């Protein structure tokens, strides 16, 4: 609280400056309220689209790796087939049963290699089919989200366009309105605004109640507020009570 009425700036002037700043900020709040959740929805859609694009890119990389595996397995099978033919030629020139059986085992091993390669090729091809299906579904969702994003952006741009000049004017006014407000009061004002739902940090007393939380303000406290000898805050919500509005007759 400021209790010295002979300070550099009279309390009444400080309160007037705070009320003016609050008036401007409330108008800015209203402009942003009209925009609603659109800015956040646009950001969420952009994040979602980026996620889908990363997913498609990952699938493409996985498919490329599987195609490399298929290529290598086909080469392995081809090499094994070449060895089988060579071993079969060697079998015609063996000198005994032991050499024949040894070559026969090598042929069986190469045939097994071919079977394994063919099995791995089929598995890889099946995985590629699954991933292509995933890519197709992801791309479909991606296109849908892109359309949603375009619509949301267009809607937001329309709303922003309608209020852009007003917002700029108010921001210029705010820049001037902040100047006469002491740093510590501005810090307190900003803190209070951040802690209340409606953004009202400075209010007046209306019908014997705080204009922010609507709790009753006792008569003596109202008299102190009217005197403007010190800055008084609501004992319930902490908002600055700048003045007391007279009741209509």
């Amino acid at each position: 609280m400021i209790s010295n009425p002979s300070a550099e700036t009279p309390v009444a002037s400080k309160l007037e400056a705070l009320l003016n700043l609050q008036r401007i900020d409330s108008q800015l709040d209203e402009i942003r309220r009209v925009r609603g959740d659109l800015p956040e929805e646009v950001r969420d859609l952009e994040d979602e689209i980026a996620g889908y694009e990363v997913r498609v890119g990952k699938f493409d990389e996985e498919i490329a790796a599987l195609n490399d595996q298929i290529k290598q397995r086909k080469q392995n099978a081809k090499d094994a087939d070449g060895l089988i033919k060579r071993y079969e030629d060697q079998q015609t020139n063996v000198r005994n049963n032991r050499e024949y059986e040894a070559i026969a085992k090598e042929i069986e091993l190469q045939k097994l290699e071919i079977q394994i390669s063919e099995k791995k090729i089929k598995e890889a091809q099946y995985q590629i089919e699954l991933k292509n299906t995933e890519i197709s579904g992801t791309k479909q969702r991606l296109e849908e989200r892109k359309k949603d994003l375009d619509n949301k952006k267009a809607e937001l741009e329309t709303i922003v366009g309608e209020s852009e000049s007003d917002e700029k004017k108010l921001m210029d006014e705010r820049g001037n309105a902040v100047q006469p407000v002491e740093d510590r009061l501005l810090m307190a004002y900003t803190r209070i605004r951040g802690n209340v739902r409606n953004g009202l940090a400075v209010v007046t007393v209306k019908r014997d109640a705080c204009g922010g939380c609507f709790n009753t303000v006792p008569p003596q406290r109202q008299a102190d507020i009217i005197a403007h000898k010190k800055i008084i805050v609501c004992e319930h919500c902490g908002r600055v009570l700048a003045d007391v509005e007279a009741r209509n007759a």
Side-chain angles (χ1 to χ4, degrees):
M1 289 187 181
I2 299 173
S3 58
N4 184 4
S6 62
E8 292 182 6
T9 304
V11 171
S13 297
K14 294 178 181 180
L15 291 170
E16 184 179 354
L18 283 173
L19 272 172
N20 185 45
L21 180 59
Q22 179 67 76
R23 175 186 63 79
I24 294 170
D25 279 339
S26 292
Q27 290 178 355
L28 286 168
D29 289 344
E30 178 61 20
I31 287 174
R32 290 157 188 164
R33 185 193 65 77
V34 171
R35 294 174 189 170
D37 296 329
L38 275 175
E40 186 176 346
E41 289 175 8
V42 167
R43 286 192 296 270
D44 288 345
L45 281 169
E46 288 173 341
D47 290 342
E48 188 176 356
I49 287 170
Y52 283 139
E53 288 173 341
V54 168
R55 187 180 302 179
V56 170
K58 185 178 178 182
F59 282 141
D60 287 339
E61 290 175 0
E62 291 172 351
I63 287 173
L66 288 167
N67 279 322
D68 287 341
Q69 290 179 26
I70 289 173
K71 183 179 178 181
Q72 184 59 52
R73 288 292 180 180
K74 285 182 176 179
Q75 185 60 49
N76 290 349
K78 183 178 179 181
D79 292 343
D81 189 58
L83 287 173
I84 289 171
K85 290 177 180 177
R86 193 175 76 181
Y87 288 141
E88 286 175 344
D89 290 340
Q90 289 177 1
Q91 274 185 325
T92 60
N93 298 316
V94 296
R95 291 171 294 182
N96 52 54
N97 287 338
R98 188 176 64 182
E99 289 183 2
Y100 184 90
E101 290 174 359
I103 292 174
K105 286 182 180 180
E106 289 297 331
I107 291 173
E108 287 300 318
L109 286 173
Q110 296 308 316
K111 286 182 178 180
L112 180 60
E113 175 63 29
I114 291 173
Q115 290 176 357
I116 292 172
S117 293
E118 289 175 346
K119 180 182 177 183
K120 293 295 184 181
I121 288 170
K122 288 180 180 179
E123 290 175 355
Q125 289 172 336
Y126 178 69
Q127 288 298 319
I128 288 173
E129 289 178 7
L130 290 179
K131 292 183 186 300
N132 278 326
T133 301
E134 287 286 344
I135 287 175
S136 178
T138 302
K139 284 184 175 179
Q140 183 178 351
R141 291 190 292 274
L142 179 59
E143 290 305 313
E144 290 172 355
R145 290 297 178 268
K146 283 183 176 179
K147 290 178 182 178
D148 291 341
L149 178 60
D150 289 341
N151 292 334
K152 292 291 183 183
K153 278 186 172 179
E155 187 178 351
L156 181 59
E157 285 172 5
T158 299
I159 294 173
V160 170
E162 291 172 350
S163 59
E164 189 173 17
S165 61
D166 291 338
E167 184 177 17
K168 185 179 183 305
K169 182 180 177 182
L170 285 168
M171 288 301 296
D172 290 340
E173 287 184 24
R174 192 182 194 281
N176 294 326
V178 166
Q179 296 301 321
V181 180
E182 295 177 359
D183 288 345
R184 59 172 179 161
L185 283 179
L186 184 59
M187 289 177 62
Y189 169 83
T190 303
R191 176 180 54 78
I192 296 169
R193 264 178 59 82
N195 290 335
V196 295
R197 294 181 62 182
N198 58 8
L200 292 176
V202 184
V203 297
T204 58
V205 176
K206 299 178 182 179
R207 296 183 178 275
D208 299 328
C210 168
C213 67
F214 309 112
N215 279 292
T216 300
V217 179
Q220 182 56 52
R221 199 162 185 81
Q222 292 186 44
D224 292 339
I225 295 166
I226 293 171
H228 290 160
K229 292 182 179 180
K230 57 184 177 180
I231 292 179
I232 297 174
V233 299
C234 175
E235 59 186 8
H236 298 284
C237 66
R239 290 177 172 89
V240 175
L241 298 172
D243 209 344
V244 177
E245 293 188 11
R247 284 177 174 270
N248 294 327

